Amino acid sequence: MSKIDNAHDRPGLARIVIGVALLLLAMGLLSDLYLGLPVSHGAKSVLPWLGGILGLGSLCLLGEGAADWVHARDKVTDPLWRRVLHLITLLALWGAGSFLIWLLLKVVI
């Protein structure tokens, strides 16, 4: 097989990459709208705006995944120390995400 034949075996790869980029863009736009449009109003040109929106979307997606990961391990039957540890982990992830969003906004604006 030649390299050209191998390229036609995976036509869905470009579709997946475009889909993930559009998902991050949509989540970033919604998050920017929820925060009061600081990225859209503060960006000096299109490239920092696009980077800020994609970064904001990826941070939101990462936060959703981390929150679901912590929530899936938290059971009512667990001892109190383990439930408190899950709460501390969730709050630490929230704090780290908030700090990263603040840092992203400071870089873009």
Side-chain angles (χ1 to χ4, degrees):
M1 283 187 136
S2 67
K3 290 184 179 182
I4 296 173
D5 292 336
N6 272 343
H8 294 293
D9 290 341
R10 291 182 274 147
L13 183 63
R15 194 176 294 170
I16 290 172
V17 169
I18 291 171
V20 168
L22 288 176
L23 175 72
L24 292 178
L25 187 66
M27 288 191 71
L29 284 172
L30 287 174
S31 300
D32 189 35
L33 182 65
Y34 177 72
L35 291 171
L37 300 172
V39 176
S40 296
H41 289 303
K44 307 288 188 238
S45 67
V46 175
L47 192 59
W49 175 81
L50 186 62
I53 292 294
L54 288 176
L56 194 60
S58 62
L59 284 174
C60 289
L61 191 64
L62 183 67
E64 285 292 325
D68 287 342
W69 179 75
V70 170
H71 180 68
R73 283 157 175 67
D74 190 32
K75 295 177 181 53
V76 178
T77 57
D78 284 343
L80 181 61
W81 66 269
R82 184 171 287 169
R83 297 202 68 200
V84 168
L85 182 64
H86 290 152
L87 177 64
I88 290 171
T89 305
L90 191 60
L91 290 175
L93 287 171
W94 178 80
S98 298
F99 174 73
L100 288 174
I101 288 173
W102 174 80
L103 190 62
L104 180 74
L105 292 177
K106 285 296 177 186
V107 168
V108 171
I109 297 174

